């Protein structure tokens, strides 16, 4: 049984999805989904243990050996990402039932869980698989289900947002497919391990460079790197709150995983950073992304949109850290993958609580919430502090590593800009705090109560995780350092 | 009665402490006792007494007595005695105590044997005397007092630094003759010079003395500058520089005194003028000259005290002190008028008055050392003194145009206080040996020879003639309400105006720069807002074709950069 874990990880949510349709009673479906996700979470914990003890796990699907069959490879990076995705999805699912009853029409409840599980299994598949084409397939599963999830939003703008995401996302997927196709053409294999062995011999080839470019641009679109980010804000803003939380915390992380996997494992560091100007591009786009997205966030009037732009800027931080091209930078990027998932998950869950009670996430509707929803607002404040990078929160840990990485490269202007980005973050967080705590509600909505426990519990689980891993980051730092080592970036 | 010997300053300090707890007539009586007890104590003290304290490796010598210090000790007691009588009616605790401490500090300064102890007394003099100025309790006196104390502290600081440097160089801090070379000695010299009201360092005196209380000014005029004269005589006797400094001091105040309206300020200028004679004497440095300087200091305390007291009396009775407000007071204040005239005659060095017997010593010694230019300057100064102190003061206060004021003579204590120095002025003038026996150096000198008397009388006669002629012709500067500034113009007018101009300029530039920077910032923020606000270019929901375009651009960039 335990040797089947890599595939179970993916298969369980995938099979649970159609089963949901059979159960068809919302509350039961919710429980079923939650259990499926939790099982995946438990499996991911076991997997990370196994990886730590016995190294990379190789699992051949249907016992077909690698070149012919599909191979699942779980090393530190996969295990780490699996842990993040399943953990976040399980916690978010805790709140799903309460939240969607307020935001979705009755007949869509079951559909929501089906799509959620499909999306989850798609992401887990992307992470677990060791086959390049398989990545594309799972990416399509995850993407299509997430388009649909976004389209479930009550706001009619959710439909257009989903459509735009669909079109642009498909374009990105096509780019990825072109990249993979070119690689297959050059090497005759789709297995990542084989690719990584054969590609270095072809590093002079123009086709390979084009393959790399198409692939990277496609992935950058998926992870919403700054000038390719247009689809994201509206998609996050108009999707149901649970979906926003789930996608913000996990989807972009998975895209970054693909980038990491292909840069470090498939193409190799030397090809990516030495032959190709990836470092310059990532640094430049990262910096511009941080500053622009943060500045846009300052001017937003919808808090969901504000945090969507904040996500773009935080992703840009990760990209910037990658662009440092040193081991500390990679550790910082990996740390921020985890930490940003914790922050954004908590913040969007808190927003779902606001949405549940107030029915809107316009900034003006936040006035007076500091009094009427103290726990929710406290969660937003702590999450916001984490976002800024105040010590004792996870945000501080990853920002700290980024600063060190930039100083190691003698890029002190970058250091200054990172700090400037933190100041901008402080500004947009302060806007929310100011509205919530220092303005009184003019509309006289005094009946607003604190959010129900089912929403507060997952929010605060994530907030406490923010604080715990901020105070005691030993686990995350150990695992990210091991990951960086396994990716070959660490001596 | 008192068997044990006390240092001369002790009686005053003890009385000051007791006065703190008494009031009314008791404290007046106690204060009167202080100079009597002090003088008795001083008379009893064995002249060979030397007290020594060893502090770390420093040989401190807080009490040393010799003939030079003794004569200053006597005149300070005398001055304290008549000044306290003069101030008997004053019921101001601050003035009472501060004048006692001030006298004690001055006595201490005169009897110390090392520079560090001198510094302590120096600072105590400054600290206690400033309250005599502030006791006037007007805004003007407050600021004058502030400037005064700043000057005094600078002097004290220079003395301290100079002492340390001198100690470092010579390994001794003995307060005796100091070789005028090296930074330490120079600093000490300047410190003494400030207290002595050297030209350009004198402004605190003419600024603050006229702002003090009527009785406070009497104390001030008697003590501070005389301590400085003593210190110079002790340390820098025979320095030629002092001759020229002294000559300038005698001459330059005359011009200011002539145009000054405040009669007490006129006296302050004449004080500098008189100190100038002493400084010249110290600079000459012969025994005769030093005797002249010391005796002139002695006499100056008497007649300057007398003049200040008479002006104080006028001020006390009329509330005014400007020459332009006064006049024809002789009708109702005859006694004060007579006493003032005695003082005026003394300061002008009329024969038979004490100014003559001491000033002539200085003049003779100058001639003996063949400083003819200096001698002429001193002659001019003598004429000038007669002008502004001998004629101007009594003329504008008691004679001149009728101001309509009909003030009575001052209270009895003031009259008695004035009577004492007036009597002494005459007594010393007629029997100079009363004074001469106390002089530090035994020197056979007789002021009343033919040439002296004749020359001085002629000088005074023509000076008087000149005053009359100038007054009749209307050329004599009219008495006007004004604040005349001399060197203090530099820091009371020039510096503040430069400062405020500078500040204004800085403010202007600062405001301008800030305006520009703020405008730029506003513009930048506006641009940022235009691009970043909702529906701005960066945050607008772009059309799909635009999104596709951006993807293509990025891809193109990637490829371009890859192939370069």
């Amino acid at each position: 049984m335990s040797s089947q874990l890599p595939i179970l990880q993916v298969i369980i949510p995938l099979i649970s999805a159609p089963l949901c349709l059979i159960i068809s009673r919302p509350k039961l479906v919710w429980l079923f989904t939650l259990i499926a996700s939790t099982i995946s979470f438990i499996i991911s914990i076991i997997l990370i243990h196994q990886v730590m003890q016995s190294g990379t796990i190789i699992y051949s699907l249907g016992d077909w050996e690698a070149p012919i069959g599909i191979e699942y490879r779980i090393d530190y990076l996969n295990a780490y990402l699996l842990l993040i995705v399943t953990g976040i999805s399980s916690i978010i699912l805790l709140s799903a039932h309460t939240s969607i009853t307020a935001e979705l029409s009755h007949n869509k409840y079951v559909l929501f869980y089906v799509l959620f599980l499909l999306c989850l299994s798609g992401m887990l598949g992307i992470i677990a698989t060791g086959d390049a084409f398989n990545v594309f397939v799972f990416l399509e599963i995850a993407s299509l289900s997430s388009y649909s999830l976004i389209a479930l939003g009550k706001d009619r703008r959710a439909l257009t947002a989903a459509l735009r995401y669909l079109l642009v996302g498909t374009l990105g997927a096509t780019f990825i497919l072109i990249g993979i196709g070119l690689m297959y053409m050059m090497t005759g294999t789709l297995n990542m391990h084989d690719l990584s062995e054969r590609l270095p011999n072809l590093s002079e080839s123009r086709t390979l460079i084009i393959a790399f470019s198409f692939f990277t641009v496609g992935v950058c679109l998926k992870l919403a790197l700054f000038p390719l980010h247009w689809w994201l804000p509206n998609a996050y803003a108009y999707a149901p709150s649970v979906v926003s939380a789930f996608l913000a915390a996990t989807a972009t992380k998975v895209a970054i995983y693909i980038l990491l996997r292909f840069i470090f494992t498939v193409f190799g560091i030397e090809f990516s950073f030495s032959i190709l100007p990836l470092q310059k591009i990532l640094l430049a786009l990262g910096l511009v992304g941080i500053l622009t997205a943060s500045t846009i966030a300052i001017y937003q009037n919808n808090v969901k949109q504000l945090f969507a732009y904040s996500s773009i800027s935080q992703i840009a931080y990760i990209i910037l850290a990658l662009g440092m091209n040193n081991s500390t930078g990679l550790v910082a990027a990996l740390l921020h993958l985890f930490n940003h998932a914790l922050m954004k998950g908590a913040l969007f869950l808190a927003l779902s609580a606001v949405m549940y009670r107030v029915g809107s996430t316009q900034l003006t509707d936040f006035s007076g919430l500091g009094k009427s929803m103290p726990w929710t607002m406290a969660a937003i404040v702590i999450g916001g502090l984490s976002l800024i990078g105040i010590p004792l929160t996870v945000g501080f840990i990853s920002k700290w590593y980024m600063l060190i990485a930039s100083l190691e490269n003698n890029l002190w202007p970058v250091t200054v800009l990172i700090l400037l980005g933190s100041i901008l973050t402080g500004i947009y967080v302060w806007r929310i705090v100011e509205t919530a705590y220092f303005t009184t509600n003019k509309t006289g909505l005094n009946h607003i109560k604190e959010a129900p426990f089912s929403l507060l519990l997952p929010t605060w689980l994530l907030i406490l995780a923010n604080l715990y891993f901020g105070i005691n980051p030993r686990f995350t730092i150990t695992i990210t350092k091991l990951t960086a080592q396994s990716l070959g970036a660490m001596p | 009665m008192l068997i044990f010997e006390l240092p001369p300053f002790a009686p005053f300090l003890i009385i000051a402490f007791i006065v703190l707890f008494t009031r009314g007539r008791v404290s007046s009586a106690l204060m009167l006792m202080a100079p009597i007890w002090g003088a008795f104590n001083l008379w009893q003290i064995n002249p060979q007494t030397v007290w020594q304290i060893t502090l770390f490796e420093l040989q401190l010598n807080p009490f040393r007595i010799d003939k030079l210090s003794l004569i200053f000790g006597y005149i300070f007691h005398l001055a304290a005695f008549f000044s306290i009588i003069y101030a008997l009616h004053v019921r101001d605790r601050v003035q009472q105590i501060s004048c006692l401490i001030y006298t004690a500090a001055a006595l201490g300064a005169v009897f110390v044997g090392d520079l560090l102890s001198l510094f302590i007394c120096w600072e105590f003099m400054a600290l206690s005397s400033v309250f005599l100025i502030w006791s006037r309790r007007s805004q003007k006196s407050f600021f004058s007092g502030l400037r005064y104390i700043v000057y005094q502290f600078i002097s004290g600081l220079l003395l301290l630094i100079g002492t340390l440097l001198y100690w470092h160089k010579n390994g001794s801090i003995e307060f005796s003759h100091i070789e005028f070379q090296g930074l330490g000695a120079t600093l000490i010299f300047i410190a003494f010079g400030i207290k002595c009201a050297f030209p350009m360092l004198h402004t605190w005196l003419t600024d603050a003395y006229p702002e003090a209380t009527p009785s406070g000014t009497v104390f001030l005029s008697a003590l501070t500058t005389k301590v400085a004269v003593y210190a110079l005589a002790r340390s820098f006797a025979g320095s030629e520089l002092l001759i020229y400094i002294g000559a300038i001091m005698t001459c330059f105040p005359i011009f200011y005194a002539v145009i000054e309206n405040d009669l007490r300020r006129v006296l302050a200028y004449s004080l500098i003028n008189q100190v100038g004679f002493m400084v010249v004497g110290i600079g000459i440095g012969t025994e005769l000259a030093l005797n002249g300087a010391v005796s002139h200091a002695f006499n100056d305390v008497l007649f300057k005290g007398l003049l200040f007291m008479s002006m104080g009396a006028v001020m006390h009775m009329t509330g005014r002190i400007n020459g332009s407000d006064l006049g024809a007071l002789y009708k109702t204040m005859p006694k004060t008028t007579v006493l003032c005239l005695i003082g005026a005659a003394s300061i002008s060095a009329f024969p038979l008055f004490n100014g003559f017997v001491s000033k002539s010593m200085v003049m003779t010694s100058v001639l003996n050392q063949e400083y003819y230019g200096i001698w002429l300057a001193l002659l001019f100064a003598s004429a000038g003194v007669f002008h502004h102190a001998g004629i101007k003061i009594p003329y504008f206060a008691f004679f001149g145009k009728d101001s309509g004021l009909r003030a009575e003579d001052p209270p009895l204590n003031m009259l008695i206080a004035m009577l004492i120095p007036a009597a002494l002025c005459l007594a010393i003038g007629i029997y100079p040996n009363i004074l001469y026996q106390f002089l530090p150096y035994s020197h056979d000198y007789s002021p009343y020879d033919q040439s002296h008397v004749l020359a001085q009388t002629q000088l005074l006669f023509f000076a008087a003639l000149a005053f009359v002629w100038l007054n009749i012709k209307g050329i004599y500067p009219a008495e006007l309400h004004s604040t005349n500034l001399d060197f203090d113009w530099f820091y009371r007018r020039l510096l503040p105006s430069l400062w405020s101009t500078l500040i204004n300029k800085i403010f202007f530039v600062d405001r301008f720069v800030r305006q520009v920077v703020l405008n730029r910032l506003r513009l930048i923020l506006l641009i940022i807002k235009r691009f970043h606000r909702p529906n701005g270019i960066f945050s607008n929901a772009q059309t799909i074709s635009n999104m596709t375009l951006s993807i293509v651009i990025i891809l193109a960039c990637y490829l371009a950069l890859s192939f370069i």
Side-chain angles (χ1 to χ4, degrees):
Chain A
M1 180 73 181
S2 73
S3 60
Q4 309 292 327
L5 285 178
I7 189 66
L8 279 177
Q9 173 87 303
V10 184
I11 287 293
I12 288 174
L14 193 62
I15 294 179
S16 305
L19 286 180
C20 287
L21 287 170
I22 299 168
I23 298 168
S24 81
R25 283 191 54 187
K27 193 125 194 182
L28 279 180
V29 175
W30 169 61
L31 267 177
F32 181 73
T33 315
L34 185 58
I35 289 165
S37 170
T38 312
I39 291 171
S40 297
F41 182 48
I42 293 165
I43 292 173
S44 74
I45 292 173
I46 298 169
L47 277 175
I48 207 164
H49 265 279
Q50 283 184 359
V51 171
M52 276 177 149
Q53 274 159 13
S54 51
T56 310
I57 302 165
I58 300 168
Y59 176 85
S60 300
L61 216 60
D63 268 341
W64 292 88
E65 283 305 318
I68 302 151
I70 293 166
E71 184 184 61
Y72 278 23
R73 263 176 188 266
I74 311 289
D75 64 3
Y76 279 110
L77 183 61
N78 307 72
Y80 180 57
L81 262 293
L82 287 174
L83 188 74
I84 295 173
V85 172
T86 52
I88 295 287
S89 81
S90 304
I91 291 175
I92 284 172
L93 273 173
L94 280 176
S95 74
H97 183 68
T98 319
S99 185
I100 61 167
T101 46
E103 292 184 39
L104 298 187
S105 50
H106 188 75
N107 56 352
K108 286 177 183 161
Y109 291 171
V110 177
L111 199 60
F112 165 81
Y113 294 112
V114 174
L115 291 169
F116 191 99
L117 282 171
L118 279 176
C119 188
L120 178 63
S121 64
M123 290 183 192
L124 295 177
I126 295 169
I127 297 165
T129 186
D131 187 278
F133 188 74
N134 213 221
V135 167
F136 171 72
V137 173
F138 279 118
L139 187 66
E140 280 302 283
I141 295 175
S143 300
L144 288 169
S145 49
S146 57
Y147 305 146
S148 323
L149 277 172
I150 290 164
L152 285 177
K154 205 161 55 173
D155 197 311
R156 285 172 67 187
R157 281 172 289 185
L159 272 179
T160 47
L163 181 68
R164 282 151 45 83
Y165 185 19
L166 169 73
L167 290 170
V168 179
T170 310
L171 203 61
T174 314
F175 272 41
I176 292 172
L177 188 61
I178 292 172
I180 292 172
L182 288 173
M183 281 179 238
Y184 181 62
M185 190 182 89
M186 301 290 292
T187 59
T189 178
L190 286 168
N191 185 287
M192 290 184 198
H193 189 69
D194 292 342
L195 279 172
S196 69
E197 281 172 358
R198 293 180 200 176
L199 283 177
N201 306 326
L202 303 163
S203 59
E204 299 292 304
S205 153
R206 289 196 167 194
T207 319
L208 188 62
I209 291 173
I210 291 170
F212 185 82
S213 300
F214 268 98
F215 187 84
T216 320
V217 172
V219 175
C220 285
L221 184 90
K222 282 285 177 189
L223 58 78
L225 188 58
F226 166 63
L228 310 173
H229 68 281
W230 312 103
W231 58 269
L232 187 140
N234 281 354
Y236 281 15
Y238 301 124
S241 302
V242 187
V243 176
S244 309
F246 181 58
L247 292 181
T250 57
T252 46
K253 311 295 170 297
V254 173
I256 289 169
Y257 161 77
I258 302 174
L259 192 64
L260 285 173
R261 177 58 77 202
F262 275 81
I263 288 176
F264 286 95
T265 310
V266 176
F267 290 99
I269 304 172
E270 206 192 312
F271 178 76
S272 312
F273 285 107
S274 306
I275 298 173
L276 292 180
L278 191 62
Q279 182 172 11
K280 283 179 211 155
I281 293 172
L282 292 185
L283 271 181
L285 293 184
L287 276 180
V288 175
I290 291 170
L291 298 178
T292 313
S294 298
T295 315
I296 297 171
I298 290 171
Y299 289 105
Q300 292 307 310
N301 295 323
N302 184 341
V303 179
K304 248 180 159 179
Q305 217 148 19
L306 186 154
F307 280 129
Y309 278 109
S310 156
S311 283
I312 295 170
S313 85
Q314 298 298 315
I315 289 159
Y317 271 112
I318 299 174
I319 295 299
L320 178 73
L322 273 181
M324 305 285 182
N325 189 24
N326 58 14
S327 58
T328 319
L330 182 58
V331 170
L334 291 168
L335 275 173
H336 209 53
L337 277 181
F338 182 80
N339 295 344
H340 182 238
L342 291 184
M343 305 170 197
K344 271 293 144 57
L347 284 168
F348 273 107
L349 278 182
L351 287 187
S352 81
V354 174
M355 195 73 184
Y356 185 82
R357 283 297 183 209
V358 184
S360 147
T361 53
Q362 287 296 314
L363 189 62
T364 45
D365 294 329
F366 271 64
S367 53
L369 285 191
K371 262 188 194 150
S372 46
M373 299 179 78
W375 285 95
T376 314
M377 283 304 137
I380 288 185
V381 170
I382 297 172
L385 291 179
S386 192
L387 211 54
I388 299 166
I390 304 290
L392 302 185
T393 60
V394 285
F396 173 70
I397 309 290
S398 31
K399 289 265 169 71
W400 182 249
Y401 270 83
M402 277 177 215
L403 292 177
I404 291 174
S406 67
L407 290 175
E408 275 177 7
N409 278 9
N410 287 326
L411 292 169
W412 62 264
V414 175
T415 317
V416 174
L417 289 173
I418 291 174
L419 292 173
L420 181 65
S422 275
I423 293 171
L424 294 175
T425 312
I427 296 173
Y428 63 70
V429 170
W430 176 252
R431 283 189 73 209
I432 305 168
V433 173
E434 193 185 2
T435 317
Y437 287 91
F438 300 107
T439 59
T440 45
N441 197 335
K442 286 172 199 129
T443 51
L445 291 170
N446 294 325
H447 59 277
I448 294 171
K449 286 183 290 185
E450 183 52 272
F453 182 71
S454 55
L455 290 179
L456 281 182
L457 175 70
T459 311
W460 274 90
L461 274 178
L462 286 173
I463 288 295
L464 290 177
N466 262 300
L467 293 173
Y468 176 78
F469 289 111
I471 295 163
N472 181 17
R474 196 183 305 153
F475 166 73
T476 45
I477 287 178
T478 317
I479 194 95
T480 47
K481 282 193 172 161
L482 287 171
T483 311
Q485 238 165 23
S486 75
L487 287 177
M490 281 269 263
Chain B
M1 184 176 76
L2 289 161
I3 306 156
F4 52 91
E5 291 177 351
L6 286 170
F9 61 85
F12 285 89
L13 273 191
I14 294 166
I15 298 282
F17 184 74
I18 300 171
V19 167
L20 201 59
F21 301 103
T22 59
R23 54 181 65 249
R25 287 173 183 282
V26 183
S27 52
S28 300
L30 278 170
M31 284 180 67
L32 258 185
M33 249 186 68
I36 298 171
W37 178 19
F40 182 73
N41 178 52
L42 189 61
W43 180 58
Q44 288 252 310
I45 283 177
N46 184 351
Q48 269 74 50
T49 313
V50 170
W51 291 15
Q52 287 195 333
I53 303 170
T54 307
L55 186 78
F56 304 113
E57 50 195 297
L58 273 180
Q59 191 78 26
L60 288 193
N61 195 350
F63 178 50
R64 173 198 54 191
I65 187 164
D66 62 10
K67 277 197 101 173
L68 182 61
S69 48
L70 205 55
I71 186 171
F72 278 93
Y74 284 137
I75 188 59
F76 286 175
H77 278 89
L78 195 57
F81 184 60
F82 65 68
S83 303
I84 287 171
I85 293 176
Y86 185 75
L88 268 186
H89 63 283
V90 175
R91 288 283 175 268
D92 181 358
R93 186 68 58 82
V94 177
Q95 278 191 70
Q96 287 172 336
I97 291 170
S98 59
C99 75
L100 285 173
I101 296 177
Y102 180 37
T103 313
L107 282 169
V110 168
F111 286 103
V112 292
D114 68 278
L115 290 167
L116 202 63
S117 308
L118 179 70
F119 164 74
I120 294 167
C121 298
W122 210 256
E123 293 290 12
F124 263 100
M125 279 172 74
L127 262 180
S128 50
S129 59
V130 75
F131 286 99
L132 295 174
I133 299 163
W134 284 339
S135 292
R136 184 90 175 271
R137 295 186 171 84
S138 70
Q139 200 187 8
K140 213 174 159 197
S141 73
F142 175 73
F143 287 113
S144 279
L146 272 186
R147 291 191 287 268
Y148 170 83
I149 195 81
V150 166
Y151 258 103
Q152 301 301 313
F153 280 152
I154 291 173
S155 163
L157 205 63
L158 290 174
L159 178 60
L160 182 63
I161 299 169
T163 301
L164 292 176
L165 290 173
Y166 182 74
W167 178 43
H168 187 69
K169 193 180 169 201
N170 298 352
S172 152
I173 53 166
E174 203 195 341
F175 180 28
S176 59
H177 187 73
I178 292 173
E179 211 56 53
F180 193 11
Q181 59 184 16
L183 186 61
T186 311
L187 290 181
I188 294 173
F189 183 78
I190 296 172
F192 291 172
I194 290 175
K195 275 237 177 181
C196 202
F198 278 4
M200 311 237 260
L201 305 174
H202 70 278
T203 49
W204 58 270
L205 193 153
T206 50
D207 181 13
Y209 279 19
E211 298 303 330
T213 59
S215 52
T217 314
V218 182
F219 279 99
L220 288 166
S221 74
L223 299 179
T224 298
T225 48
K226 302 308 173 298
V227 169
V229 166
Y230 164 79
L232 282 175
R234 171 72 71 190
S235 296
F236 294 103
S239 302
E240 201 181 354
L241 183 60
L242 285 175
I243 301 173
Y244 303 109
I245 292 174
I248 297 169
M249 283 172 75
T250 56
C251 292
F252 88 87
I254 291 168
F255 304 102
Y256 292 107
V258 165
I259 58 167
E260 181 56 56
N261 191 12
D262 183 333
L263 294 182
R264 290 205 300 171
R265 189 158 277 127
V266 173
L267 286 177
Y269 277 112
S270 91
L271 180 60
I272 298 174
N273 159 284
Q274 295 300 312
V275 171
F277 281 101
M278 302 167 210
V279 171
V280 170
I282 294 165
I284 299 287
T286 58
E287 289 191 346
L288 177 66
L290 284 173
N291 272 349
V294 171
S295 56
H296 201 57
F298 191 98
N299 289 335
D300 183 59
V301 171
L302 294 175
F303 56 66
K304 194 52 56 59
L306 176 55
L307 284 170
F308 267 119
M309 283 195 284
S310 65
M311 284 304 108
V314 168
M315 196 174 149
H316 183 70
M317 301 312 292
T318 66
R320 303 167 195 199
I321 196 58
N322 284 335
S324 52
D325 298 340
L326 296 167
L329 284 172
Y330 74 97
K331 293 172 185 164
T332 50
M333 300 178 80
K335 293 168 191 153
T336 315
T337 310
V338 171
L339 291 166
C340 178
L341 282 174
I342 293 173
S346 299
I347 198 172
S348 312
F350 270 91
L352 298 183
F353 290 90
N354 65 348
F356 176 74
V357 303
S358 51
K359 196 189 274 178
S360 59
M361 280 167 100
V362 176
M363 301 288 270
T364 308
S365 66
V366 170
L367 269 185
N368 287 352
Q369 298 301 312
E370 302 184 339
Y371 287 103
Y372 296 112
I374 301 295
W375 184 75
L376 282 176
L378 294 188
L379 269 190
F380 168 72
S382 299
V385 173
F386 180 50
H387 244 187
H388 67 253
I391 300 177
K392 178 174 174 167
I393 297 276
Y395 178 79
F396 282 108
F398 299 107
F399 305 101
K401 64 169 175 34
D402 195 335
S403 62
L405 292 169
R406 293 291 176 266
E408 294 297 307
D409 265 322
L412 188 61
N413 69 307
M414 286 183 155
L415 284 176
I416 293 172
M418 287 188 273
L419 198 58
I420 296 167
L424 280 168
C425 282
L426 275 168
I428 293 172
I430 295 164
Y431 302 107
N433 280 334
I434 302 174
L435 172 62
Y436 288 176
Q437 60 179 329
F438 293 111
L439 289 180
Y441 304 100
S442 54
H443 198 282
D444 197 25
Y445 177 76
S446 165
Y448 290 107
D449 62 17
Q450 204 177 359
S451 68
H452 271 142
V453 176
L454 207 62
Q456 185 68 11
T457 318
Q458 280 176 345
L459 184 75
L460 294 173
F461 177 74
F462 281 105
L465 204 63
F467 178 79
V468 172
W469 184 73
L470 287 172
N471 227 357
I472 288 171
K473 283 284 177 189
I475 303 169
Y476 197 80
E479 295 298 299
L480 298 169
H481 276 287
S482 58
T483 305
N484 294 317
L485 296 173
D486 52 276
F487 184 71
D488 47 3
W489 178 81
F490 279 98
Y491 63 88
R492 284 178 67 182
R493 291 288 182 274
L494 185 65
L495 273 183
S497 75
L498 277 181
W499 180 248
S500 63
T501 318
L502 189 70
I503 290 285
N504 276 339
K505 280 275 180 315
I506 291 173
F507 274 1
F508 178 76
V509 171
D510 175 71
R511 201 181 304 134
F512 179 75
V513 169
R514 259 192 285 182
Q515 201 73 48
V516 169
V517 171
L518 276 181
N519 281 342
R520 287 287 144 81
L521 268 181
R522 252 181 233 125
L523 194 69
I524 290 169
L525 275 181
L526 207 69
I527 291 169
I528 289 178
K529 194 175 176 182
R530 176 172 302 160
F531 283 112
H532 293 80
R533 64 157 194 253
N535 300 325
I537 290 171
F538 285 131
S539 65
N540 202 5
Q542 297 291 331
T543 58
I544 290 161
S545 56
N546 278 354
M547 288 195 276
T548 315
L549 187 66
S550 71
I551 296 169
V552 171
I553 290 170
I554 289 291
L555 182 68
C557 291
Y558 249 97
L559 290 172
L561 281 171
S562 301
F563 285 115
I564 284 169

